[in-house]
Amino acid sequence: TRCDEKCTVTKGLRLATAPSILVCHLKRFAYRPYGGMTRLAKKVKFPTHLDISDYMSNLNQARPPAYELVAVLVHQGQYCEAGHYIAFVKSEGQWFCCNDNEVSPVSVEKVMRQQAYILMYEVAEMRENHGYSSPSGAAAVNHDSEKRRKDQFSFLNSLLCGMDDT
Protein backbone atom coordinates (compact mmCIF):
# COMPACT_ATOMS: atom_id res chain seq x y z
CA THR A 1 0.00 0.00 0.00
CA ARG A 2 1.00 3.61 -0.28
CA CYS A 3 0.29 4.43 3.38
CA ASP A 4 3.64 3.03 4.59
CA GLU A 5 1.95 0.31 6.63
CA LYS A 6 2.82 -3.34 6.57
CA CYS A 7 0.11 -5.62 5.25
CA THR A 8 -0.31 -9.29 4.55
CA VAL A 9 0.11 -10.28 0.93
CA THR A 10 0.05 -13.51 -1.01
CA LYS A 11 1.84 -14.40 -4.18
CA GLY A 12 0.44 -16.94 -6.59
CA LEU A 13 0.57 -18.27 -10.09
CA ARG A 14 -2.50 -19.14 -12.15
CA LEU A 15 -2.66 -20.79 -15.56
CA ALA A 16 -4.60 -19.04 -18.32
CA THR A 17 -4.77 -22.19 -20.44
CA ALA A 18 -4.12 -25.84 -19.70
CA PRO A 19 -1.11 -27.30 -21.52
CA SER A 20 -1.20 -30.64 -23.38
CA ILE A 21 1.91 -31.75 -21.50
CA LEU A 22 2.50 -30.48 -17.97
CA VAL A 23 6.09 -30.68 -16.72
CA CYS A 24 6.58 -30.27 -12.96
CA HIS A 25 10.18 -29.58 -11.95
CA LEU A 26 10.61 -30.25 -8.23
CA LYS A 27 13.23 -28.39 -6.27
CA ARG A 28 15.66 -31.14 -5.29
CA PHE A 29 18.79 -29.07 -4.64
CA ALA A 30 19.60 -26.32 -2.13
CA TYR A 31 22.59 -24.12 -1.46
CA ARG A 32 24.78 -25.23 1.44
CA PRO A 33 25.66 -22.59 4.05
CA TYR A 34 29.34 -22.58 3.05
CA GLY A 35 28.91 -22.82 -0.70
CA GLY A 36 27.98 -25.44 -3.23
CA MET A 37 24.72 -27.28 -3.49
CA THR A 38 23.31 -30.41 -1.90
CA ARG A 39 20.49 -32.72 -2.85
CA LEU A 40 17.18 -32.50 -0.94
CA ALA A 41 15.91 -35.98 -0.11
CA LYS A 42 12.50 -35.05 1.31
CA LYS A 43 9.75 -37.47 0.30
CA VAL A 44 7.25 -35.83 -2.04
CA LYS A 45 4.02 -37.67 -2.80
CA PHE A 46 2.72 -37.22 -6.32
CA PRO A 47 -0.50 -38.49 -7.91
CA THR A 48 -0.95 -40.71 -10.96
CA HIS A 49 -3.87 -38.49 -12.03
CA LEU A 50 -3.93 -34.73 -11.62
CA ASP A 51 -6.68 -32.12 -11.56
CA ILE A 52 -5.37 -28.57 -12.01
CA SER A 53 -8.73 -26.79 -11.62
CA ASP A 54 -7.59 -24.97 -8.48
CA TYR A 55 -4.62 -23.47 -10.38
CA MET A 56 -6.51 -22.03 -13.34
CA SER A 57 -7.06 -18.32 -13.80
CA ASN A 58 -10.40 -17.05 -12.55
CA LEU A 59 -10.89 -15.43 -15.97
CA ASN A 60 -10.88 -18.84 -17.66
CA GLN A 61 -14.23 -20.44 -16.92
CA ALA A 62 -13.47 -23.65 -18.90
CA ARG A 63 -12.85 -26.82 -16.93
CA PRO A 64 -9.27 -28.01 -17.55
CA PRO A 65 -8.71 -31.57 -18.77
CA ALA A 66 -7.66 -34.40 -16.48
CA TYR A 67 -3.97 -35.31 -16.54
CA GLU A 68 -2.27 -38.69 -16.37
CA LEU A 69 1.29 -39.26 -15.11
CA VAL A 70 3.40 -40.53 -18.02
CA ALA A 71 7.02 -40.05 -16.90
CA VAL A 72 9.12 -39.57 -13.78
CA LEU A 73 12.76 -38.45 -13.94
CA VAL A 74 14.95 -39.31 -10.95
CA HIS A 75 18.40 -37.99 -10.02
CA GLN A 76 20.55 -40.44 -8.11
CA GLY A 77 23.46 -38.99 -6.20
CA GLN A 78 24.02 -36.52 -3.38
CA TYR A 79 25.25 -33.49 -5.33
CA CYS A 80 23.92 -31.66 -8.36
CA GLU A 81 27.40 -31.57 -9.91
CA ALA A 82 27.47 -35.36 -10.18
CA GLY A 83 25.08 -38.26 -10.19
CA HIS A 84 23.00 -40.37 -12.52
CA TYR A 85 19.55 -39.90 -14.04
CA ILE A 86 17.01 -42.62 -14.66
CA ALA A 87 13.57 -42.28 -16.21
CA PHE A 88 10.36 -44.15 -15.54
CA VAL A 89 7.99 -43.99 -18.52
CA LYS A 90 4.50 -45.35 -19.05
CA SER A 91 3.59 -46.98 -22.34
CA GLU A 92 0.36 -48.83 -23.09
CA GLY A 93 -0.49 -49.29 -19.42
CA GLN A 94 2.96 -50.62 -18.39
CA TRP A 95 5.66 -48.68 -16.56
CA PHE A 96 9.29 -49.06 -17.64
CA CYS A 97 12.56 -48.05 -16.01
CA CYS A 98 15.05 -46.57 -18.51
CA ASN A 99 18.55 -46.74 -17.07
CA ASP A 100 21.19 -45.98 -19.69
CA ASN A 101 20.79 -48.70 -22.33
CA GLU A 102 18.66 -50.97 -20.13
CA VAL A 103 14.87 -50.82 -20.27
CA SER A 104 12.89 -53.04 -17.90
CA PRO A 105 9.25 -53.25 -16.79
CA VAL A 106 8.46 -52.06 -13.25
CA SER A 107 5.35 -51.80 -11.10
CA VAL A 108 3.46 -48.56 -10.58
CA GLU A 109 4.20 -48.98 -6.85
CA LYS A 110 7.93 -48.78 -7.55
CA VAL A 111 7.40 -45.64 -9.64
CA MET A 112 5.38 -43.98 -6.88
CA ARG A 113 8.16 -44.64 -4.31
CA GLN A 114 10.73 -42.64 -6.29
CA GLN A 115 12.20 -39.32 -5.22
CA ALA A 116 11.05 -37.54 -8.35
CA TYR A 117 13.01 -34.67 -9.85
CA ILE A 118 10.73 -34.05 -12.83
CA LEU A 119 7.14 -35.25 -13.30
CA MET A 120 5.50 -35.29 -16.71
CA TYR A 121 1.72 -35.32 -17.01
CA GLU A 122 -0.20 -35.62 -20.25
CA VAL A 123 -3.82 -34.75 -20.96
CA ALA A 124 -5.67 -38.02 -20.47
CA GLU A 125 -6.96 -39.49 -23.75
CA MET A 126 -4.93 -37.02 -25.83
CA ARG A 127 -3.10 -39.78 -27.72
CA GLU A 128 -6.24 -41.82 -28.47
CA ASN A 129 -7.87 -38.72 -29.94
CA HIS A 130 -4.93 -38.42 -32.35
CA GLY A 131 -4.69 -42.09 -33.35
CA TYR A 132 -2.02 -43.28 -30.91
CA SER A 133 -2.11 -45.77 -28.06
CA SER A 134 -2.41 -44.10 -24.68
CA PRO A 135 0.03 -44.53 -21.80
CA SER A 136 -2.82 -46.19 -19.88
CA GLY A 137 -3.23 -48.83 -22.56
CA ALA A 138 -6.49 -47.63 -24.11
CA ALA A 139 -6.88 -48.46 -27.77
CA ALA A 140 -6.23 -45.79 -30.36
CA VAL A 141 -8.97 -44.47 -32.61
CA ASN A 142 -6.82 -45.11 -35.69
CA HIS A 143 -5.78 -48.77 -35.91
CA ASP A 144 -2.86 -48.72 -38.36
CA SER A 145 -0.82 -48.71 -35.18
CA GLU A 146 1.60 -51.68 -35.32
CA LYS A 147 4.22 -49.78 -37.32
CA ARG A 148 3.42 -46.59 -35.41
CA ARG A 149 3.87 -48.45 -32.10
CA LYS A 150 7.28 -49.77 -33.21
CA ASP A 151 8.26 -46.29 -34.38
CA GLN A 152 7.14 -44.76 -31.07
CA PHE A 153 9.02 -47.38 -29.05
CA SER A 154 12.14 -46.84 -31.13
CA PHE A 155 11.80 -43.07 -30.74
CA LEU A 156 11.28 -43.32 -26.97
CA ASN A 157 14.27 -45.65 -26.59
CA SER A 158 16.55 -43.34 -28.57
CA LEU A 159 15.22 -40.22 -26.82
CA LEU A 160 15.20 -41.48 -23.24
CA CYS A 161 17.92 -44.09 -23.23
CA GLY A 162 20.18 -43.33 -26.15
CA MET A 163 19.27 -46.71 -27.63
CA ASP A 164 18.85 -47.58 -31.26
CA ASP A 165 17.07 -50.56 -32.86
CA THR A 166 19.88 -51.03 -35.37
Side-chain angles (χ1 to χ4, degrees), residues 21-29 39 44 46 69-75 85-89 95 111 114-121 160:
I21 306 276
L22 180 65
V23 179
C24 302
H25 182 182
L26 305 178
K27 182 178 177 182
R28 283 291 185 191
F29 299 101
R39 184 171 177 271
V44 176
F46 50 92
L69 182 66
V70 294
V72 177
L73 184 66
V74 177
H75 176 267
Y85 288 93
I86 60 173
F88 293 87
V89 295
W95 281 95
V111 173
Q114 299 302 310
Q115 288 186 348
Y117 179 57
I118 293 179
L119 301 169
M120 294 183 71
Y121 289 90
L160 296 173

Side-chain angles (χ1 to χ4, degrees), residues 9-10 29-32 44 51 61 65 69-70 83-85 93 96 102 124-125 128 147 153 156-157 166:
V9 297
T10 59
F29 299 101
Y31 286 101
R32 293 188 301 239
V44 176
D51 177 8
Q61 299 298 316
L69 182 66
V70 294
H84 181 70
Y85 288 93
F96 295 90
E102 191 175 309
E125 301 175 5
E128 302 95 337
K147 180 177 179 347
F153 187 72
L156 283 172
N157 276 340
T166 58

